[in-house]
């Protein structure tokens, strides 16, 4: 297996006010692989991945130390445009959050804000993205209905389609199935496995089975520290650290 | 390089600055109003003297020599405001308590919009109503020489200020945590005791804010008092005397005052005093409501 | 037992307050409607006044009120919305927010006649706009600005943070997010606020006394520099000037009813809109 580094976190510390929530994290994520971040809730998983598209910039009174590289470029560097970073690093949120617009507009929004004006190419891209997100068949007759009328699982796939349309290189999933039923969860998981052909995927989950089912690599975070990182199979079968083993066997969490 | 900053950033910053400048418009206007009133109002203070202007008992601006004593006008405002306050506090806070404590969901859904509609009626309509319906009624009822007096003015003004008091007080009451009520009821207090001893004190500063803002509204109201208070610029001795509050003096006399003359400046001086009074009321109201929010741990 | 009586008495007093309040609301609407309906007809609404205000209609006053209101909103909406956007979307430092918020609150408390004095000094005299639609609209616009700002702020704050995050995560800029996502989502709420302000502006008299209004014009205004008749001022003028008090009172009833209907329609619309929005969220 040839693993090419796509994202690299180096000595990352993160603070909310005076409270440190991430401690000295070093981690690499590889191209065309699914990497999962697991750990009990409140361990800083979501905070950590929100650093990769600089979403934490929006929260006041926070501070980051260390470096994050995307294709070996420091994304917090002086001449880096945060908007461009976010175009390359897409994100799917915990709770499906489609815009209060039509299904079509939800997907075309990202294209329009990225300066694409040609109606024809927008339409092609919308169809392609919906198709890739395995939603096209279900919505093709109601593209101009409100997205809020879709089911939870459909809404989440729409959010994925919306994200795909801007052609990111990395997609961050922040507990994408946390508010979905098992059937919808399954379809999202299948989708993620399909998407890794084209993208680098990082997924936060508190569901260990989910990590085991879909990821190639797994990182275990506990109380803001990276306890262990490695190929998923190894981490789940022969964990190196005692804490990892205890977590996996349900001693806490 | 693919991450470097776009040309669009400059445009974005321009928008941000446009917004920032707009945001300060309110401050600009407030300062503008203050400056205007000082520039146009101060000359009369110099001419007549601070004390004689404020406490002079005669207001004969068009006589020769003219008298510019604002005291009767101030007293007019005081009488009418105090009267209005009685009306709007009793009815406004009473209504707020009724809506919040006694009314069911359905009643509330009707009553709250009703209060809003009362607030939406223009002051000129209140004034007109007071002049053609209420004043003659009160004149006949009490056998007065005229129905256009401080009493009628207070009544109408009180009704006008009522929605302000009612809706702010109602907000304050609805912020009182349910647990306060439950705790009191569980101790065996009945609903009335709970309301008087627990709910009203807990919402106390909110209710005081409501009253101060209602008062501020009453002091500043113009058209209603202009039409129903009778307009006599003399110090009133009873609620049934005609009065001429400060606002209505400005409204009624600005048209006939010679621009730049002493009368003109005197009217601006009245405006300045009004402005300062309402400004102080607002600052007090704001201070109280901020403390109250801190106390309840509410932000903003 | 004594407690029970106190409670009943107390509750009765509260009931009495609300009933008295409603009684006044009913009385105003009843008397104005009954007397106003007698004079309102098509001619009254579409003709210019004749014979020293004792006959004819009030069309120029209706038109004047429309112009003044339109002008005021045209001025205050962009300004107020921009201010609200700055406060909600650009979240400046807290002391800046405090200064701005204090100004807004205090501006909201300034007596309406003082706005009139300000308009007279600044717009009528200093800028030389004269007694005109322009001066009146600007004065009314400043008066209603705080209301527009707080309505817009409330609407913007009601837009879920997740919409902003989703938009930014797609690579939309801050401005694009505001323009294409947040403001459209807040628009119904902003509109409700604007509609309520329309009611307020249309009914105000004191600010236009010295800046825009006149007792009588022969026809309709022909530019923004014309002085105008306006419904609220017309009521005042009819009751305090002129030589045929009885005739004039009748017309004033008609004017009041027209103004009342206008304002109540507008606020009812706003109240209904708002309730529907709250139902949706």
């Amino acid at each position: 297996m040839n693993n090419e580094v796509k994202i690299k976190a180096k000595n990352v510390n993160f603070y909310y006010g005076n409270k440190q929530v991430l401690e000295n994290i070093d981690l690499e994520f590889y191209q065309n692989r699914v990497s999962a971040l697991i750990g009990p809730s409140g361990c800083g998983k979501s905070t950590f991945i929100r650093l990769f598209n600089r979403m934490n910039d929006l929260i006041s009174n926070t501070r980051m130390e260390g470096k994050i590289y995307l294709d070996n470029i420091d994304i917090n560097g002086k001449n880096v445009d945060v908007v461009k970073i976010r175009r390359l690093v897409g994100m799917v949120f915990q709770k499906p959050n489609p815009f209060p617009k039509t299904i079509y507009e939800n997907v075309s929004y990202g294209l329009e804000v990225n300066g694409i004006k040609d109606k024809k190419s927008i339409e092609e891209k919308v169809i392609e993205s919906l198709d890739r997100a395995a939603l096209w068949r279900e919505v093709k007759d109601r593209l101009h209905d409100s997205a809020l009328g879709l089911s939870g699982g459909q809404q989440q796939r729409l959010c994925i389609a919306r994200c795909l349309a801007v052609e990111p290189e990395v997609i961050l999933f922040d507990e994408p199935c946390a508010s979905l039923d098992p059937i919808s969860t399954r379809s999202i998981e299948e989708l993620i496995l399909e998407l890794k052909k084209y993208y680098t995927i990082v997924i936060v989950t508190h569901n260990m089975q989910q990590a085991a089912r879909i990821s190639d690599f797994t990182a275990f975070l506990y109380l803001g520290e990276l306890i262990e990182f490695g190929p998923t199979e190894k981490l789940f079968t022969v964990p190196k650290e005692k804490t990892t083993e205890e977590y996996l066997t349900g001693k806490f969490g | 390089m693919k991450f470097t900053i776009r040309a669009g950033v400059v445009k974005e910053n321009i928008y941000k600055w446009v917004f920032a400048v707009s945001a300060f418009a309110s401050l600009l206007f407030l300062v503008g109003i203050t400056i205007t009133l000082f520039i146009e109002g101060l000359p009369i203070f110099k001419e007549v003297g601070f004390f004689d202007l404020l406490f002079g008992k005669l207001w004969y601006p068009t006589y020769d020599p003219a008298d510019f004593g604002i005291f009767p006008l101030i007293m007019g405002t005081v009488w009418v405001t105090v009267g209005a306050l009685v009306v709007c506090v009793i009815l406004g806070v009473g209504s707020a308590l009724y809506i919040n404590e006694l009314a069911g969901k359905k009643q509330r859904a009707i009553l709250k919009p009703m209060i809003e509609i009362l607030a939406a009626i223009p002051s000129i309509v209140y004034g007109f109503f007071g002049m053609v319906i209420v004043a003659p009624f009160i004149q006949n009822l009490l056998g007065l020489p005229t129905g256009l007096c401080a009493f009628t003015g207070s009544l109408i003004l009180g009704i006008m200020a009522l929605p302000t008091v009612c809706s702010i007080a109602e907000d304050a009451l609805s912020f009182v945590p349910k647990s306060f009520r439950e705790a009191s009821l569980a101790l065996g207090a009945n609903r009335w005791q709970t309301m008087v001893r627990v709910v009203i004190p807990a919402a106390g500063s909110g209710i005081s804010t409501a009253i101060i803002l209602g008062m501020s509204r009453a002091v500043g109201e113009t058209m209603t008092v202009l039409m129903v208070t009778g307009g006599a610029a003399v110090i009133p001795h009873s609620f049934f005397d005609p009065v001429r509050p400060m606002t209505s003096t400005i409204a009624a006399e600005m048209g006939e005052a010679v621009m730049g003359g002493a009368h003109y400046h005197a009217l601006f001086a009245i405006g300045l005093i009004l402005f300062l009074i309402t400004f102080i009321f607002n600052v007090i109201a704001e201070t109280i409501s901020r403390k109250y929010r801190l106390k309840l741990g509410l932000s903003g | 037992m004594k407690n029970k009586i106190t409670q009943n008495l107390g509750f009765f007093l509260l009931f009495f307050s609300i009933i008295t309040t409603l009684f006044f609301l009913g009385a105003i609407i009843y008397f104005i409607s009954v007397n106003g309906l007698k004079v309102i007809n098509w001619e009254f609404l579409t003709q210019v006044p004749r014979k020293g205000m004792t006959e004819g209609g009030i069309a120029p006053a209706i038109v004047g009120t429309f112009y003044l209101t339109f002008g005021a909103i045209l001025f205050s909406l962009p300004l107020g919305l921009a201010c609200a956007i700055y406060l909600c979307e650009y979240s400046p430092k807290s002391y800046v927010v405090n200064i701005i918020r204090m100004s807004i609150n205090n501006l909201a408390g300034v007596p309406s006649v003082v706005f009139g004095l300000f308009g007279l000094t600044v717009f009528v005299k200093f800028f030389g706009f004269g007694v005109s639609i322009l001066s009146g609209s600007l004065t009314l616009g400043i008066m209603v600005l705080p209301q527009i700002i707080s309505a817009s702020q409330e609407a913007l704050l009601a837009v879920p943070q997740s919409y902003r995050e989703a938009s930014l995560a797609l690579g939309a800029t801050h401005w694009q997010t505001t323009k294409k996502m947040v403001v459209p989502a807040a628009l119904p709420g902003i509109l409700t606020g604007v509609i309520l302000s329309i009611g307020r502006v249309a009914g105000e008299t004191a600010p236009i006394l010295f800046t825009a209004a006149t007792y009588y014009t022969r026809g309709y205004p022909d530019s923004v520099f014309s002085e105008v008749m306006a419904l609220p001022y017309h009521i005042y003028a009819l009751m305090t000037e002129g030589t045929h008090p009885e005739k004039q009172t009748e017309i004033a009833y008609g004017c009041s009813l027209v103004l009342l209907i206008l304002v109540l329609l507008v606020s009812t619309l706003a109240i209904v809109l708002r309730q529907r929005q709250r139902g949706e969220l």
Side-chain angles (χ1 to χ4, degrees), chain C residues 43-44 47-51 53-58 251:
Chain C
E43 193 206 30
F44 186 75
Q47 300 282 306
V48 295
R50 276 179 286 124
K51 295 198 179 160
M53 295 287 168
T54 56
E55 276 176 41
I58 54 163
I251 298 178

Side-chain angles (χ1 to χ4, degrees), chain A residues 86-123:
Chain A
R86 290 183 186 146
R87 285 174 191 173
L88 290 171
V89 183
M91 184 168 223
V92 176
F93 296 84
Q94 187 167 0
K95 211 171 151 247
N97 57 351
F99 301 129
K101 296 172 181 269
T102 67
I103 295 168
Y104 185 92
E105 286 167 344
N106 259 279
V107 185
S108 66
Y109 180 82
L111 300 165
E112 281 160 19
V113 298
N114 283 298
I116 299 173
K117 293 208 169 69
D118 178 38
K119 287 252 162 67
K120 189 89 188 122
S121 51
I122 289 182
E123 192 178 336

Side-chain angles (χ1 to χ4, degrees), chain B residues 17 21 23-24 64-66 83 90 92-93 146 171 204 220 223 246-247 272 281:
Chain B
W17 278 105
V21 170
F24 280 97
D64 194 21
I90 294 177
V93 177
T146 171
D171 269 355
M223 297 319 286
M246 295 192 278
T247 47
L272 177 61
F281 281 163

Side-chain angles (χ1 to χ4, degrees), chain C residues 136-152:
Chain C
S137 294
L138 291 172
T139 310
L140 287 168
I142 294 175
M143 182 199 74
V144 83
L145 186 63
Q147 208 178 340
I148 301 257
I149 294 173
S150 26
S152 308

Side-chain angles (χ1 to χ4, degrees), chain B residues 190-254:
Chain B
N190 65 21
R191 283 169 73 197
W192 175 255
Q193 287 165 328
T194 303
M195 200 181 86
V196 174
R197 303 231 180 121
V198 177
V199 178
I200 295 178
S205 35
I207 294 176
S208 356
T209 307
I211 293 171
I212 293 168
L213 289 178
M215 198 150 87
S216 177
R217 174 101 208 264
V219 170
E221 180 45 49
T222 312
M223 297 319 286
T224 314
V225 291
L226 178 58
M227 292 177 82
V228 296
T229 56
V234 289
I235 299 171
H237 296 287
S238 98
F239 258 116
F240 302 102
D241 286 343
V243 293
R244 179 165 217 159
M246 295 192 278
T247 47
S248 55
T249 310
I250 302 174
E253 295 177 13
M254 189 48 96

